[in-house]
């Protein structure tokens, strides 16, 4: 049988051919998208954080007593925290905690031009010790001088003048030249800061990570505490410190009146929380996809088996006319592959469209991964080929006389 | 050309064993025209199917052109069917979803005959059976007799050395039956070995040789005995 005849047969059996094609298209659409989303999630999981996740502790507290002298409280807290056994350093954290953005989104600009949207940045506003606590490794430039730190009641309206930025941010803002010595504009009022250091990439900011700017961050030597009731700290403990240190810190801070301790957690936990939402979506999609594979798999097998079983006689006639078993198998596999390929192409287009929908409407990370799309297509094709193979082999093995005898 | 020694075929179902053929011995020479007669259910179609390599058998030996067919692979058997043997089935066995042209073309494609030659043969053979203008029709659009003729055309287009016909005139009126008979005789005269099953004693008379199947036993009979058969 030539391809011409196969095509004629496909067109003759329009409804079943269409059903098989659709079934395959649906399988490709759903399985394709799930794979993309799952794969991206997995890939993101595997982006290295380069931070000491099990050593850095985020501390969230809130001062509800309006008359509290916050500056004094913070100094007291930091001293006592540093005195705890196992604690290596501690710092007040004004804006972000590690992988937990506390005060909205932040952008960094390389120009005052207001049309420039800027780059997402995790903005760490720290007191002395902040750089050590984050575990930053400076590759170019210098440390902050003690005099550059802005802290205390009198300095609440003052800005620092210098900033350290991560290597990734430096490259993004100043692709052509060294960022060192350049001016970066920060905050909504676009205050100017001079870059005095560039440090190795670390995954630090929640919002930045959420927008895939894994390693965008900046550190400012300024700590304003008067703006709201939050009083947060970053603490770094020695490697392999027991979890009980979290309780110890909580108990210690709890002793202070007029303030509540909301949470004390390792950065590892913040990171996990950050990924949970996305993973949940990926798991839901995987579940749907599992069901889809099952339903479409069974559907494809049933449809294909049916389409072959109604053609038992035709197969016997072909055999009688001199088609060998392998030739019959080959013909049926080609026929099915034509349907499968059409289905797969339709499915890939549908997957593309659905993916676009997810990305724009649900802010899901799931851009097309071409090799994965190819793999899904191959698997679906294999599934449909297997579905043909079993009933086709059965039909091809029947002695041709069995079907030519009956009219 | 073919030699059968002690061939037996048994159909086993849950309840009964049917000895469709038992101990068939037969030798056919190249170019012979043999008419096979026998009552319904006696094993004629079974005999023809085994001869045409469409069915296997339990016992005995079948040599086709000196080759022991029970030793051959499916691929080899298929090739022999396709190249040496033409089959006209009792029920026409056309492919309902393909038009007449395509129906005749399929076995020619299996043989690797090129497009031009295929076209020529298809047109010739359809012309020969008087359906030259119907190439694009589908089997369902034809009468039983016309379908029978398409089945004949399909067998002839392959120019087989060996033509097996199971009641090729069964669905035709007397006039048409005679025409088809003459066609088959002509093909036989040109060298094709012909074995034909028929109920029609008048047609059977035209064969070189007559054999009869009774309860799975094959025997040569004289033409004079043909009329005695209960049909
Ligand atoms: N697939 C089968 N399974 C079981 N029994 C079968 C099968 N095919 C044929 N038979 C039996 O074998 C015997 C011979 O059948 P066959 O078809 O050869 O008869 P026939 O001589 O061609 O009859 P007719 O003239 O009616 O075509 C019959 O008794 C039939 O019932
Ligand atoms: Mg019969």
């Amino acid at each position: 049988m030539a391809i011409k005849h196969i095509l004629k047969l496909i067109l003759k059996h329009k409804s079943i051919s269409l059903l098989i094609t659709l079934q395959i298209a649906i399988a490709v659409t759903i399985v394709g998208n799930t794979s993309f989303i799952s794969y991206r999630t997995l890939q993101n999981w595997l982006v290295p954080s380069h931070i000491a996740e099990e050593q850095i502790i985020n501390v969230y507290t809130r001062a509800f007593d309006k008359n509290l002298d916050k500056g004094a409280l913070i100094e007291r807290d930091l001293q006592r925290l540093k005195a705890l056994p196992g604690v290596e350093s501690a710092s007040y954290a004004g804006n972000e905690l590690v992988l937990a953005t506390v005060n909205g989104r932040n952008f960094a600009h390389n120009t005052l031009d207001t049309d420039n949207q800027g780059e997402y940045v995790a903005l760490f506003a720290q007191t002395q010790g902040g750089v050590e606590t984050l575990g930053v490794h400076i590759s170019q430039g210098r440390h902050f001088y003690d005099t550059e730190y802005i802290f205390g009641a009198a300095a609440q309206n003052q800005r620092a003048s210098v900033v350290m930025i991560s290597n990734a941010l430096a490259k993004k803002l100043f692709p052509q030249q060294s960022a060192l010595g350049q001016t970066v504009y920060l905050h909504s009022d676009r205050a100017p800061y001079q870059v005095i250091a560039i440090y190795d990439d670390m995954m630090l900011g929640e919002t930045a990570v959420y927008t895939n700017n894994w390693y965008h961050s900046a550190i400012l030597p300024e700590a304003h505490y008067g703006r709201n009731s939050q009083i947060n700290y970053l603490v770094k403990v020695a490697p392999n410190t027991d979890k009980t240190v979290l309780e110890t810190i909580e108990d210690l801070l709890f002793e202070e009146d007029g303030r509540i301790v909301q949470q004390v957690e390792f950065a590892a936990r913040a990171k996990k929380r950050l990924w949970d939402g996305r993973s949940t979506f990926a798991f839901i999609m995987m579940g749907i996809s599992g069901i889809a594979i099952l339903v479409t798999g069974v559907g494809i097998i049933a449809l294909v088996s049916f389409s072959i079983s109604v053609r038992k006689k035709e197969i016997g006639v072909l055999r009688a006319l001199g088609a060998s078993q392998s030739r019959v198998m080959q013909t049926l596999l080609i026929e099915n592959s034509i349907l499968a390929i059409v289905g797969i192409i339709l499915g890939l287009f549908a997957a593309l469209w659905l993916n676009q929908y997810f990305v724009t409407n649900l802010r899901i990370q799931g851009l097309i991964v071409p090799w994965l799309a190819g793999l899904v297509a191959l698997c679906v094709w294999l599934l449909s080929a297997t579905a043909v193979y079993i009933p086709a082999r059965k039909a091809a093995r029947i002695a041709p006389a069995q079907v030519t005898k009956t009219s | 050309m073919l030699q059968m020694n002690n061939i037996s075929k048994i159909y086993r179902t849950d309840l009964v064993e049917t000895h469709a053929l038992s101990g068939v011995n037969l030798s056919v020479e190249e170019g012979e025209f043999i008419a096979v007669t026998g009552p319904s259910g006696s094993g004629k179609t079974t005999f023809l199917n085994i001869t045409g390599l469409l069915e296997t058998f339990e016992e005995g030996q079948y040599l086709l052109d000196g080759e022991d067919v029970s030793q051959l692979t499916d691929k080899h058997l298929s090739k022999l069917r396709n190249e040496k043997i033409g089959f006209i089935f009792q029920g026409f066995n056309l492919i309902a979803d393909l038009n007449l042209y395509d129906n005749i073309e399929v076995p020619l494609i299996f043989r690797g005959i090129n497009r031009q030659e295929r076209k020529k043969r298809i047109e010739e053979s359809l012309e020969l059976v008087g359906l030259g203008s119907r190439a694009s029709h589908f089997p369902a659009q034809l009468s039983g007799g016309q379908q029978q003729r398409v089945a004949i055309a399909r067998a002839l287009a392959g120019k087989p050395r060996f033509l097996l016909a199971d009641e090729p005139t069964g669905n035709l009126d007397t006039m048409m039956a005679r025409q088809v008979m003459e066609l088959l005789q002509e093909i036989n005269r040109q060298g094709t070995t012909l074995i034909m099953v028929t109920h029609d004693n008048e047609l059977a008379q035209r064969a070189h040789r007559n054999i009869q199947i009774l309860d799975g036993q094959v025997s040569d009979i004289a033409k004079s005995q043909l009329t005695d058969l209960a049909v």
Side-chain angles (χ1 to χ4, degrees):
Chain A
M1 225 150 42
I3 298 287
K4 168 181 94 175
H5 296 129
I6 295 174
L7 288 174
K8 282 185 182 179
L9 290 179
I10 288 175
L11 291 176
K12 269 274 164 183
H13 299 269
K14 271 191 203 78
S15 43
I16 196 149
S17 303
L18 200 69
L19 275 175
I20 292 173
T21 308
L22 274 181
Q23 189 77 267
I24 287 172
I26 291 168
V28 169
T29 310
I30 298 177
V31 179
N33 258 291
T34 326
S35 328
F36 297 153
I37 291 168
S38 312
Y39 178 74
R40 286 292 185 194
T41 308
L42 189 71
Q43 217 183 17
N44 291 351
W45 259 108
L46 297 177
V47 173
S49 70
H50 300 307
I51 54 173
E53 293 170 29
E54 306 285 350
Q55 276 181 268
I56 298 177
I57 296 171
N58 288 339
V59 179
Y60 310 72
T61 79
R62 221 167 244 274
F64 57 83
D65 185 350
K66 293 225 165 47
N67 301 319
L68 209 61
D69 179 354
K70 286 189 197 161
L73 174 74
I74 290 167
E75 290 197 67
R76 220 161 41 240
D77 280 344
L78 285 174
Q79 244 164 42
R80 295 176 68 195
L81 282 170
K82 283 176 189 162
L84 279 178
V87 171
E88 291 182 345
S89 63
S91 148
Y92 173 78
N95 212 357
E96 307 236 9
L97 290 170
V98 171
L99 294 174
T101 301
V102 190
N103 284 324
R105 294 184 297 175
N106 289 295
F107 295 92
H109 310 264
N110 54 7
T111 161
L112 277 172
D113 175 6
T114 45
D115 286 342
N116 177 293
Q117 213 232 313
E119 294 296 325
Y120 274 102
V121 63
L123 207 52
F124 283 81
Q126 303 292 116
T127 55
Q128 265 117 320
V131 174
E132 291 73 25
T133 309
L134 287 170
V136 161
H137 179 260
I138 292 171
S139 57
Q140 291 175 60
R142 60 166 175 89
H143 273 276
F144 294 128
Y145 300 139
D146 281 351
T147 50
E148 284 169 335
Y149 281 95
I150 303 291
F151 182 73
Q156 284 300 301
N157 293 319
Q158 231 176 301
R159 294 280 195 204
S161 56
V162 291
V163 64
M164 290 183 184
I165 63 177
S166 65
N167 192 34
L169 185 62
K171 291 239 165 69
K172 200 67 180 259
L173 288 176
F174 307 101
Q176 313 292 354
Q177 70 259 64
S178 168
L180 219 54
Q182 302 286 341
T183 304
V184 172
Y185 303 93
L186 299 169
H187 308 300
S188 46
D189 59 355
R190 303 215 176 185
Y193 292 83
Q194 195 192 22
V195 178
I196 54 118
I198 295 163
Y199 54 87
D200 290 351
D201 287 336
M202 298 174 88
M203 192 188 282
L204 290 174
E206 177 182 354
T207 315
V209 165
Y210 193 78
T211 53
N212 285 358
N213 297 295
W214 314 108
Y215 299 133
H216 283 195
S217 65
I219 305 173
L220 299 175
E222 64 181 36
H224 299 127
Y225 51 77
R227 307 227 164 115
N228 54 36
S229 59
Q230 287 168 9
I231 300 176
N232 300 328
Y233 302 107
L234 280 172
V235 179
K236 185 174 193 187
V237 296
N240 303 318
T241 300
D242 197 81
K243 269 209 295 268
T244 51
V245 72
L246 300 177
E247 269 174 62
T248 314
I249 291 173
E250 198 169 331
D251 291 345
L252 176 122
L253 296 175
F254 184 70
E255 287 166 17
E256 209 59 68
D257 280 340
R259 183 260 302 278
I260 50 166
V261 182
Q262 285 178 297
Q263 199 173 9
V264 182
E265 65 177 11
F266 278 113
R269 225 198 117 139
K271 186 181 174 198
K272 185 172 177 302
R273 195 170 53 236
L274 178 56
W275 290 122
D276 273 351
R278 291 178 186 194
S279 323
T280 306
F281 190 77
F283 282 131
I284 291 172
M285 284 301 281
M286 275 191 240
I288 294 174
S289 174
I291 295 166
I293 291 173
L294 217 74
V295 171
T296 53
V298 169
I300 290 168
I301 290 172
L303 275 171
V304 169
S305 309
F306 174 73
S307 87
I308 284 169
S309 71
V310 297
R311 283 157 50 186
K312 263 204 188 112
K313 177 155 174 131
E314 199 175 277
I315 291 168
V317 173
L318 290 178
R319 297 263 295 118
L321 294 176
S324 61
Q325 288 178 15
S326 55
R327 183 155 201 151
V328 167
M329 296 295 298
Q330 198 187 325
T331 307
L332 292 171
L333 281 172
I334 291 173
E335 181 196 284
N336 180 265
S337 296
I338 293 172
L339 295 179
I341 287 166
V342 173
I344 285 168
I345 291 170
L346 285 178
L348 286 177
F349 274 111
L352 216 78
W353 172 81
L354 191 66
N355 195 266
Q356 203 53 43
Y357 176 83
F358 281 148
V359 170
T360 51
N361 293 357
L362 300 174
R363 303 183 80 231
I364 291 303
Q365 287 274 300
L367 295 170
I368 308 292
V369 188
W371 68 264
L372 201 56
L375 188 70
V376 169
L378 185 73
C379 287
V380 171
W381 175 75
L382 274 178
L383 177 77
S384 79
T386 316
V388 181
Y389 186 78
I390 295 161
R393 199 181 52 171
K394 224 167 97 188
R397 279 192 174 169
I398 299 170
Q402 296 297 333
V403 293
T404 55
K405 215 179 307 193
T406 56
S407 52
Chain B
M1 156 159 227
L2 76 80
Q3 175 78 42
M4 285 184 182
N5 299 321
N6 217 14
I7 297 277
S8 291
K9 174 75 188 180
I10 303 165
Y11 288 113
R12 290 192 176 82
T13 52
D14 291 344
L15 294 174
V16 285
E17 271 191 7
T18 311
H19 291 257
L21 292 178
S22 35
V24 172
N25 290 298
L26 188 76
S27 166
V28 178
E29 298 305 321
E30 183 105 42
E32 272 195 288
F33 173 11
I34 299 176
V36 181
T37 49
S40 181
S42 58
K44 302 184 296 295
T45 298
T46 307
F47 164 72
L48 221 53
N49 283 340
I50 288 176
T51 310
L53 309 175
L54 296 181
E55 207 157 14
T56 55
F57 45 89
E58 271 73 40
E59 273 173 42
Q61 190 190 36
Y62 173 16
L63 304 174
L64 181 63
D65 287 330
E67 226 170 350
D68 186 346
V69 301
S70 58
Q71 304 299 319
L72 301 179
T73 60
D74 166 70
K75 209 172 175 125
H76 200 146
L77 288 173
S78 302
K79 197 169 147 70
L80 286 179
R81 271 203 297 275
N82 185 232
E83 290 179 355
K84 284 193 181 169
I85 303 170
F87 229 102
I88 301 167
F89 302 101
Q90 195 167 8
F92 332 113
N93 284 315
L94 299 173
I95 296 169
D97 297 319
L98 295 178
N99 65 24
L100 305 191
Y101 189 99
D102 293 334
N103 259 286
I104 300 173
E105 189 176 27
V106 165
L108 301 181
I109 290 175
F110 292 160
R111 278 172 78 165
I113 294 172
N114 70 42
R115 177 190 295 270
Q116 265 177 326
E117 174 71 12
R118 290 201 303 260
K119 189 165 162 13
K120 190 172 139 250
R121 289 202 191 183
I122 295 164
E123 282 166 358
E124 267 174 20
S125 62
L126 274 175
E127 210 59 59
L128 208 59
V129 297
L131 291 170
S133 58
R134 301 265 195 156
S136 59
H137 282 61
F138 285 88
Q141 296 169 308
L142 303 180
S143 72
Q146 288 169 325
Q147 290 185 44
Q148 182 69 292
R149 280 141 68 191
V150 178
I152 294 168
R154 179 174 63 185
L156 297 184
K159 299 196 173 147
R161 276 179 55 212
F162 192 18
L163 189 59
L164 301 170
D166 200 347
E167 308 247 12
T169 57
N171 296 284
L172 307 177
D173 59 35
T174 326
M175 269 290 292
M176 198 64 218
R178 289 221 176 98
Q179 279 178 31
V180 166
M181 242 349 266
E182 266 145 37
L183 190 65
L184 292 176
Q185 280 181 291
E186 175 57 30
I187 290 159
N188 172 245
R189 271 196 290 277
Q190 287 170 13
T192 303
T193 311
L194 175 62
I195 299 183
M196 178 183 76
V197 170
T198 183
H199 275 112
D200 189 328
N201 285 324
E202 193 210 314
L203 298 181
Q205 296 278 0
R206 303 183 183 213
H208 302 156
R209 182 177 162 195
N210 290 82
I211 63 174
Q212 187 182 36
I213 303 188
L214 278 175
D215 293 334
Q217 308 267 0
V218 173
S219 54
D220 277 270
I221 55 163
K223 289 206 174 14
S224 57
Q225 285 179 280
L226 278 170
T227 42
D228 301 341
L229 269 174
V231 176

